[in-house]
Amino acid sequence: MSSKAKRKKLLRLRKIRRIVSTVVVMLAIVIVLCWSSDFIVGKILAYRLGNYCGSEITYDSLSVNFKKGRVDVRNIAVANPDGFSAQPLISADTFVFDINPSTIGENVMDVDEFRITGLNLFYERQSAGKNNFSSFVDQFPQQKSSKSETLYRVKKLHIIGTKAILLINDRVNVVKIDDIILDDIGMDTPVTWDELVEYVVSRFSGIFDAEDFAVRNPAGFTETNFIRVHDFHVELDMKDVPLRRYRIRKASAESFMLNMETLTNGRNNMQELAASLMQDQQKAKVRPSSASVEVDEFVIENVILILSRNGISKRLPLGRMYLKNIGKEKTMSAEEVSIFLLMQLNNFVNASGTKVAATMKELVAESAAGQTKVEKAPVSPSSKQP
């Protein structure tokens, strides 16, 4: 074989080796991408969504099937806004989003399945009147309406096993939310994302039960609680209610203890709490995310007034209190509803003026006697004269 032929053969072998090496590298890259695509896509999605909503998003595992258009996330959590507790704002055991791949990027997108199981909503209200959900919504960028906005048709939308955890005045209470099972949303007339969210929220309903629920007294008063409620029951019904509006079908309590306390320096707990609520109301007016509340029925089977003065207390049962259609004729914020209920309680107490005045008179007399009473020192046996 001539040297020229040998050179040609060597060049051909080098070329084949190069091609084989390239194919091997490409296969290796494909294998790595296949193995790590979920990890990469998950990190990108979590980073993008976290930047968009202003809170970190974490998860345990994420599976993406590009061929089927399916995203399956396990143990996903959205962090609380800055300034609130370490508890996640929203968390879920399972989040499944299944889109028809052929409709991705189209004007109308078909969602075959949207499913959330084990959803936990953590509501935290601080003493200054701020709450974490309002702060979270305020983090979102303002969106301009667009004529080319994507529309959706949803075959299945299931939200199962939902709980709302409420942290108010350092006390934790749990609300169990009814399962939401919705099918064929927007099939005849596709809906925008905002319309879809509003439709889902309008189907939320649930029951809040607490054996012992309390509103704390301002600092410096003798009694720990201003209001203490036993067997507190609230039925939340969001059906056919506009977005950012909460409807309480019924709120009831077996007993409602109202502690009205006046200190020697003239401080009165009801006046101070009313002033605090008024401040919250003013803050709520400047918050664009402040929601309104309406209450169909508010029932207390037994209102018990506790009058306290200088560490001495008197209990006075006042009977049944019933209110209805709160916030129906005029839109009211949660703070305005709270002020309204406080005023109605004050009116209810004033309606029993004779009994309250008599009890207060006894209390003032006992309080004055307690301040001036001086006990005699006991005489020791050794000091007695024979």
Side-chain angles (χ1 to χ4, degrees), residues 50-195:
N51 274 352
Y52 177 75
C53 69
S55 290
E56 185 185 7
I57 295 174
T58 58
Y59 59 89
D60 282 354
S61 67
L62 180 143
S63 173
V64 182
N65 188 319
F66 293 104
K67 189 176 179 181
K68 292 183 178 179
R70 185 182 180 90
V71 178
D72 191 335
V73 190
R74 302 300 167 103
N75 296 326
I76 186 170
V78 179
N80 238 341
D82 292 339
F84 293 90
S85 66
Q87 180 85 13
L89 175 81
I90 302 168
S91 63
D93 296 338
T94 306
F95 176 87
V96 175
F97 197 58
D98 199 342
I99 307 169
N100 185 336
S102 64
T103 63
I104 295 175
E106 299 293 329
N107 290 335
V108 179
M109 191 179 293
D110 287 333
V111 179
D112 295 328
E113 183 182 15
F114 184 91
R115 175 164 45 88
I116 301 176
T117 57
L119 177 65
N120 290 324
L121 307 171
F122 180 74
Y123 175 88
E124 182 179 353
R125 187 177 188 277
Q126 296 180 342
S127 56
K130 285 176 60 180
N131 74 75
N132 53 346
F133 271 88
S134 292
S135 298
F136 178 70
V137 171
D138 290 344
Q139 292 176 163
F140 279 79
Q142 293 294 322
Q143 297 292 319
K144 293 181 179 179
S145 58
S146 171
K147 290 182 180 178
S148 60
E149 189 174 1
T150 304
L151 301 176
Y152 297 89
R153 290 188 293 247
V154 183
K155 288 184 180 177
K156 291 182 181 178
L157 192 150
H158 296 176
I159 303 176
I160 299 167
T162 304
K163 286 189 304 184
I165 299 100
L166 312 179
L167 177 61
I168 303 172
N169 296 325
D170 300 325
R171 298 176 76 91
V172 176
N173 290 279
V174 177
V175 183
K176 291 182 180 178
I177 307 293
D178 297 342
D179 292 343
I180 294 178
I181 309 293
L182 301 172
D183 295 323
D184 300 329
I185 305 169
M187 288 300 172
D188 296 329
T189 306
V191 296
T192 65
W193 180 256
D194 287 346
E195 288 170 338

Side-chain angles (χ1 to χ4, degrees), residues 229-326:
V229 186
H230 291 291
D231 293 332
F232 191 42
H233 175 84
V234 177
E235 297 175 19
L236 182 69
D237 186 1
M238 300 293 286
K239 291 176 183 176
D240 304 319
V241 176
L243 193 64
R244 314 194 75 76
R245 188 166 176 84
Y246 299 104
R247 178 176 178 238
I248 296 173
R249 193 186 309 130
K250 185 176 182 179
S252 63
E254 190 62 33
S255 68
F256 189 101
M257 287 184 284
L258 174 66
N259 173 48
M260 296 178 69
E261 185 174 359
T262 303
L263 301 179
T264 51
N265 59 9
R267 286 182 64 195
N268 179 279
N269 60 346
M270 182 170 269
Q271 290 174 357
E272 291 192 13
L273 278 161
S276 175
L277 285 169
M278 291 293 285
Q279 288 177 357
D280 289 350
Q281 181 187 349
Q282 293 304 316
K283 289 174 185 175
K285 284 181 178 178
V286 299
R287 283 202 310 263
S289 57
S290 183
S292 60
V293 179
E294 62 180 58
V295 184
D296 291 356
E297 286 186 283
F298 183 83
V299 186
I300 302 171
E301 295 303 330
N302 189 17
V303 176
I304 301 169
L305 179 64
I306 302 173
L307 297 171
S308 300
R309 191 179 182 89
N310 300 329
I312 300 174
S313 298
K314 289 273 187 184
R315 292 164 65 98
L316 182 62
L318 298 180
R320 190 174 190 264
M321 177 179 172
Y322 179 80
L323 300 169
K324 65 178 182 178
N325 297 331
I326 303 167

Side-chain angles (χ1 to χ4, degrees), residues 125 277 326 332-345:
R125 187 177 188 277
L277 285 169
I326 303 167
M332 299 172 75
S333 66
E335 290 81 9
E336 287 172 326
V337 169
S338 300
I339 292 168
F340 175 81
L341 291 176
L342 198 60
M343 288 171 61
Q344 294 303 312
L345 276 168

